[in-house]
């Protein structure tokens, strides 16, 4: 058995630790989006594969037997490529993902379907807005220049974002409730924009917004291809163990 983890999330890191502790042969993969990605307890590669063809070739060259797509729910293209490469090569593939957040009593969410819809939702008088969607999609908000944006980024942007009034804070999650409460209060934030990432790493800002009674523009997830999904590391380990059992056919099929 040899596992390839497509990483970049808290769940991917937890799976990497579990495989490392069990001595299960595995590789970890980052896209190379940030300058210093978190070190992993597995051999790690950084950078794209070169599309579906490149990924399929990599799976063969590295003799991967199991592909785990533990990328972020918004990493749509990587997830589509993982499904396609697994189909092409016949290699088993499972996604490790977390359920979306759901609004609770006291939440003031405006759920939108895309970044573009989130931009449109900001039409109106100037506000102080926490834009907690990272770096890649900031330019879209240039069409709502009236706001003062607080941008939380992992790395300092090479070029200033095209937002006339903005401030950058550099921070990498997982985030804490105390930290996010202080951030929202210190900067007088009046509205948040974020992605429905799910998971524990970025939920603090939503709890803080609820406590402060702040509205949230929540960008819902893109549709992902049909695939086998696990929500916990234990489910992935069971899948790997079951698959590697000497005769992994279900008992009923073994006629016992
Ligand atoms: C490079 C690798 C771990 C993983 C930690 C999780 C939690 C903290 C919360 C906010 C939201 C955001 C952003 C975020 C979170 C975890 C997780 C998560 C959101 C790192 C990491 C990589 C990235 C890429 C980066 C994106 C950006 C998105 C910042 C590592 C730290 C906003 C997503 O500058 C850039 O180009 C950044 C790009 C993709 C979204 C964007 O479009 O800008 N993540 N984030 C991965 C790679 O190269 O393959 O160093 O850990 C990982 C984590 N970021 O092991 O503990 O599991 O989600 N990441 C979002 O959710 O909206 C921050 O500020 O509140
Ligand atoms: P994406 O748009 O779905 O993927 C774009 C391309 O980036 C892919 O086609 C692939 O390039 C490369 N890629 C993506 N993830 C990779 C990985 N783990 N290993 C190797 N190559 C990868 O991806 P994204 O949304 O930019 O996310 C990039 C990384 O950041 C992922 O690891 C993801 O888990 C992490 N992340 C993303 C978000 C987010 O909000 N999108 C949040 C937290 C963490 P090729 O086509 O050349 O193979």
């Amino acid at each position: 058995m040899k596992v390839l983890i497509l990483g970049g999330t808290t769940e991917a890191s937890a799976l990497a630790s579990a495989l490392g502790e069990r001595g299960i042969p595995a590789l970890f993969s980052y896209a190379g989006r940030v300058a210093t990605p978190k070190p992993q307890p597995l051999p790690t590669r950084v950078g794209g594969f070169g599309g579906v063809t490149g990924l399929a070739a990599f799976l063969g060259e590295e003799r991967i037997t199991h592909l785990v797509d533990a990328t972020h729910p918004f990493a749509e293209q990587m997830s589509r490529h993982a499904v396609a490469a697994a189909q092409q090569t016949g290699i088993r593939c499972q996604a490790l993902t977390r359920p979306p957040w759901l609004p609770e009593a006291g939440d003031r969410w405006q759920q939108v379907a895309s970044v573009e819809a989130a931009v449109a939702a900001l039409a109106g008088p100037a506000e102080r807005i926490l834009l907690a969607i990272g770096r890649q999609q900031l330019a879209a908000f240039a069409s709502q220049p009236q706001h003062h944006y607080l941008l939380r980024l992992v790395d300092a942007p090479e070029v200033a974002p095209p937002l006339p009034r903005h401030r950058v804070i550099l921070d990498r999650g997982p985030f804490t409730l105390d930290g996010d409460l202080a951030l929202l209060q210190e900067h007088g934030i009046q509205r948040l924009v974020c992605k429905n990432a799910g998971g524990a790493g970025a939920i603090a800002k939503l709890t803080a917004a609820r406590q402060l009674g702040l509205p949230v523009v929540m960008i819902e997830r893109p549709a992902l291809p049909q695939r086998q999904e696990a929500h916990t590391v234990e489910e992935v380990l069971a899948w790997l163990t079951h698959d590697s059992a000497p005769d992994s056919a279900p008992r009923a099929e073994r006629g016992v």
Side-chain angles (χ1 to χ4, degrees):
M1 171 185 290
K2 186 175 179 184
V3 182
L4 173 62
I5 301 175
L6 301 177
T9 59
T10 318
E11 291 74 16
S13 297
L15 178 62
S17 297
L19 297 185
E21 286 157 12
R22 289 163 175 78
I24 295 174
L27 273 180
F28 195 93
S29 178
Y30 280 123
R33 286 281 179 286
V34 298
T36 53
K38 180 179 177 176
Q40 295 293 341
L42 296 175
T44 299
R45 64 170 299 288
V46 179
F49 296 97
V52 175
T53 311
L55 176 55
F58 183 85
L59 294 171
E61 288 151 12
E62 289 295 327
R63 303 193 188 294
I64 301 297
T65 59
H66 291 76
L67 175 60
V68 180
D69 173 8
T71 59
H72 190 273
F74 280 73
E76 181 183 1
Q77 182 168 294
M78 187 70 258
S79 292
R80 292 190 181 286
H81 288 187
V83 168
Q87 279 165 352
Q88 268 183 32
T89 58
I91 286 168
R92 292 179 172 82
C93 178
Q94 185 167 75
L96 171 57
T97 186
R98 57 266 181 132
W101 295 313
L102 296 172
E104 298 178 17
D107 282 337
R108 295 175 58 194
W109 288 11
Q110 180 180 359
Q111 291 171 277
V112 295
S114 64
V115 171
E116 292 68 32
V119 173
L122 297 188
E127 289 184 313
R128 301 180 64 81
I129 294 179
L130 170 63
L131 208 42
I133 59 166
R135 176 184 57 86
Q136 298 183 94
Q137 294 169 299
L138 292 177
F141 291 83
S143 63
Q144 300 286 0
Q146 70 275 26
H147 301 301
H148 185 284
Y149 292 104
L150 180 62
L151 310 177
R152 177 151 70 180
L153 306 177
V154 177
D155 295 326
E158 286 101 30
V159 295
L163 303 169
R165 272 180 295 289
H166 73 271
R167 180 167 173 188
V168 173
I169 48 166
L170 300 181
D171 200 354
R172 157 196 319 240
F175 301 103
T176 64
L177 176 56
D178 288 348
D180 279 4
L181 272 172
L183 181 77
L184 297 178
Q185 290 172 308
E186 182 189 327
H187 293 274
I189 298 300
Q190 296 166 285
R191 190 179 304 271
L192 287 73
V193 179
C194 66
K195 300 174 186 172
N196 199 328
I203 197 168
K205 60 182 177 283
L206 300 180
T207 311
R210 184 186 309 129
Q211 288 187 12
L212 298 174
L214 299 180
V216 176
V217 177
M218 179 64 74
I219 303 168
E220 293 307 331
R221 299 175 171 189
L224 291 178
Q226 191 62 37
R227 68 215 178 135
Q228 194 178 339
E229 284 191 2
H231 285 331
T232 65
V233 167
E234 290 69 29
E235 283 177 62
V236 177
L237 292 173
W239 173 65
L240 295 173
T241 312
H242 173 272
D243 245 19
S244 60
D247 170 358
S248 57
R251 291 182 69 80
E253 288 175 22
R254 287 209 298 258
V256 294

